[in-house]
Amino acid sequence: MSTLAFEVKASYAFIERNFFIVRRYWAWELVWLVYSIVNSLSVSYIGFGMEKLGGQGIDSHFLVVYLAIGTLVWRYLSSVFYWVTDVVGMERWEGTIEYTLMAPIRRITHMLGQTAFAVVYSLFHTAVILGATLLFFDIRLANANLAGAAVMLMAGSLSFIGISIVGAVLPLLFPERGSQMTHVIIALLLLVSGVYYPVDVLPAWLQVASKFSPATYVLDGVRATLLDGAATGSLWPYIWPLLVIGLLTIPAGLRIFRWAEHYAKRTGKLHRNG
């Protein structure tokens, strides 16, 4: 029990540390939040824009809700991704990477604190954007299954955490360009996941790739619950791929990260900034 208590306290220490970092750079956080809100509203207004551009017979209200859901879900998932993949870059920025990676704690404890903060931060961030969206658009989801949407987001969090841990290895192996490479991962997921359009409009080979993206299942599941009122029990076809991806990528990511950490220490890449 004492060992467990130590691990829990250590994980909470990383949550608290990240909170203090956010508070210290509150101006940048405000800028990013305003940008995210404006970006979400801009994408959602495409729904009304299509009708004005001559799209007769288009249900603009449905299109606005469709785009708003995609934007909010993607904002949540990408926020989780960036907070986890930035675990190395943030430590280098703060000048604490050697202290953190050489501290007498388990790496799973470290990642647990990092991912827990990522989920809480992303939920809060997304809730603020949702509030702003509701102020601009008359969105009514009378038959929406909000509990089912929450279940989809939590299942999606597990799969995205696994992929994010794998992505966090890149800044360890490639100090000069590792962070840029993580942006490529999230950009490819954005392309194939159907954030702003159904994946059916993609070329056939990209439709195949979309089946390997966890965001595809999260978006389809959330839209089913909010637009069609799908019952939570009917979401299993969307949930089980997310659980499989999470169960495969989280242990694999931790193992790969551990190997990359040892490699970086041996080769002197741990403290390099470029």
Side-chain angles (χ1 to χ4, degrees), residues 12 17 22 29-30 32 39 52 54 62 65 82 108 113 153 160 166 172 175 199 207 221 248 268:
Y12 177 75
R17 190 275 305 271
V22 169
E29 291 294 328
L30 182 60
W32 175 243
N39 181 71
K52 291 292 185 180
F62 174 83
V65 176
Y82 281 124
I108 188 173
L153 286 180
F160 252 71
V166 175
L172 269 178
V199 295
Q207 292 185 38
L248 291 177

Side-chain angles (χ1 to χ4, degrees), residues 61-93:
H61 180 267
F62 174 83
L63 188 54
V64 166
V65 176
Y66 184 92
L67 292 171
I69 292 174
T71 303
L72 290 168
V73 172
W74 181 251
R75 189 63 58 189
Y76 170 77
L77 295 175
S78 60
S79 182
V80 171
F81 179 86
Y82 281 124
W83 265 104
V84 178
T85 54
D86 277 349
V87 62
V88 173
M90 186 182 302
E91 298 286 355
R92 284 200 174 107
W93 177 271

Side-chain angles (χ1 to χ4, degrees), residues 9 12-13 29 49 57 62 69 77 150 160-161 165 217-218 226 228 269:
K9 289 180 180 179
Y12 177 75
E29 291 294 328
F62 174 83
I69 292 174
L77 295 175
F160 252 71
I161 285 170
I165 294 175
Y217 303 101
V218 180
L226 298 183
D228 303 325
K269 293 184 176 183

